[in-house]
Amino acid sequence: MTGTDLDTRTSSTANPAPRVLVVDDQPLLRHSLTLLIDAAPGISVVGQAGTGREAVALSRDLAPDVVLMDIRMPGGDGIEATRSITADPDQARTRVLVLSMFELDEYVHAALRAGASGFLLKDAHPDQLVDAIRRTHAGESLLAPSILTRVVEHFLHGPGAAPARGLDGLTERETEVLALVARGLSNAEIAAALTISVKTVKTHIGHLLAKLAARDRAQLVIAAYDSGLVTPP
């Protein structure tokens, strides 16, 4: 069993079954995604939306754990919808996972800045999508490996890049955990690498989120690169 498999099992045990809101302006794709997700054990689709405005309203009403968000939609795009959902204190437990058509889609970069927990390409394998939903629900925000480096470069060197953040307030162990988070390791894989328990890893990540004022793991990744702790390969 791989670290990811173990972590998925651990996350599934520790967290209630994720409830998903599917958002896409194409009815056929929306229906297909719903069938795929509902077929996965322990996951259920609680609603569908075809516009950004519908997504915001349904997310408020249904309180899903994960919103699977399209970007380019009429009636309010996915970026504004993501910003509205993640800025709402009453939806603090709801996470947004973006599905993107293109690796260099500037809208995805904007969505991450708006508070999305991660994104996956629409050509991903169905098993990857299900795993991404589980990991996002468990707080292990997912950035597609094939585009992580480009996303980081965009945040660090693109227009409006933020000033580099310092990590002076972190302990040595927290810094080690942050570096491994930035490299895409799961909680179980970090635990194995540092010879500590998964529970301890989660505690360190909680401290990192608080100290770096980060909403989720995706923002921790950006903070690690932003500070120079990790550099793009």
Side-chain angles (χ1 to χ4, degrees):
M1 179 180 295
T2 66
T4 300
D5 293 335
L6 177 60
D7 202 55
T8 300
R9 174 181 294 182
T10 302
S11 299
S12 299
T13 302
N15 297 277
R19 302 165 64 255
V20 182
L21 172 64
V22 175
V23 183
D24 197 287
D25 66 332
Q26 300 180 36
L28 180 58
L29 179 56
R30 200 164 61 236
H31 180 68
S32 298
L33 289 170
T34 297
L35 291 177
L36 170 65
I37 295 167
D38 273 336
I43 303 180
S44 63
V45 173
V46 294
Q48 299 181 31
T51 69
R53 283 194 290 269
E54 288 179 1
V56 173
L58 282 177
S59 183
R60 188 183 305 116
D61 292 342
L62 300 174
D65 299 298
V66 178
V67 178
L68 191 61
M69 182 74 76
D70 189 18
I71 292 296
R72 296 172 178 170
M73 296 180 292
D77 65 25
I79 297 171
E80 288 303 320
T82 296
R83 185 175 292 110
S84 296
I85 291 169
T86 60
D88 185 350
D90 293 334
Q91 300 185 69
R93 297 179 63 87
T94 297
R95 300 183 182 278
V96 177
L97 175 63
V98 172
L99 278 180
S100 171
M101 286 289 291
F102 308 106
E103 290 190 5
L104 298 178
D105 193 340
E106 63 182 9
Y107 295 110
V108 175
H109 299 148
L112 288 175
R113 286 199 181 278
S117 294
F119 66 87
L120 198 67
L121 298 180
K122 283 189 175 180
D123 63 358
H125 189 278
D127 289 345
Q128 290 178 307
L129 174 60
V130 171
D131 180 63
I133 291 171
R134 294 188 192 280
R135 291 183 63 174
T136 300
H137 174 47
E140 297 199 29
S141 306
L142 184 126
L143 299 175
S146 65
I147 50 181
L148 175 58
T149 299
R150 297 177 190 178
V151 170
V152 169
E153 289 285 0
H154 174 90
F155 276 104
L156 300 189
H157 307 301
R165 282 183 267 185
L167 304 178
D168 295 341
L170 304 186
T171 66
E172 181 178 352
R173 180 62 88 188
E174 287 167 351
T175 303
E176 292 174 333
V177 171
L178 179 60
L180 295 177
V181 167
R183 293 190 172 95
L185 273 65
S186 68
N187 285 351
E189 291 166 340
I190 293 172
L194 299 179
T195 319
I196 57 178
S197 70
V198 172
K199 182 178 180 180
T200 300
V201 172
K202 292 181 178 179
T203 298
H204 286 311
I205 290 176
H207 292 163
L208 287 168
L209 292 171
K211 289 183 177 182
L212 297 177
R215 172 183 169 85
D216 54 36
R217 216 174 170 102
Q219 294 186 356
L220 290 182
V221 172
I222 299 304
Y225 282 91
D226 197 19
S227 66
L229 176 64
V230 180
T231 56

